[in-house]
Amino acid sequence: MLETARAAPHSGNVDKYQKALEQTIELSKLSDHEAGILLTSYVSNKIEWSMDGVPSATIAGSTPKEKLRNISNKAMIFHWHIAMVTKYMTKMLEVSDNDTQILLGLLSDSRDRLKKLSGRVEVLLQILDLNTPTTTSTKPQDVLRDDYEKKLYGWAVLNGHKEFLAMVLQEVAGFKDKSV
């Protein structure tokens, strides 16, 4: 109960908060849906992949504000990892091929949506507390990998991306059900 009072929007911002929250939920739904399509397009069979350097899909934090900060941070981290996958796929695949163009388009759309999601969550954080610092995250390092490792990396990133967005949707929709 005490946490709810601390994380409540500033007076006069309740409508703005509700609108921003609704937009975040809708963007999360769309991103989650598209991540599923992207993952299916990237790999045809469902195999659990994990690889060092790929971010965890887990959302950390014990308070709504901490969770929102973590969501914003991880959205940008996945954005950069998907940029790395795009770079690898562009070098590995025939760029003029129609299927490759579809895949690259889906990767680009996912990067854009992750960046928008991070920004939308930052808006929520600012509505909750004007003194909330902007979230910062670090870009992943480009590690030397052979083509097979690049493909495994891509599978691991896209699988984590899909799991992360499903968790984001669950967390953010939960905020709507109770006062943050």
Side-chain angles (χ1 to χ4, degrees), residues 3 34 54 59 64 74 80 86 114 127 133 151 158:
E3 179 56 42
E34 288 181 344
V54 175
I59 296 170
K74 281 207 176 159
W80 290 321
T86 303
L114 285 163
I127 292 169
K151 197 158 204 162
L158 296 179

Side-chain angles (χ1 to χ4, degrees), residues 160-173:
H161 169 243
K162 171 66 175 135
E163 289 175 8
F164 167 70
L165 289 171
M167 289 181 190
V168 167
L169 182 56
Q170 183 178 359
E171 285 291 338
V172 175

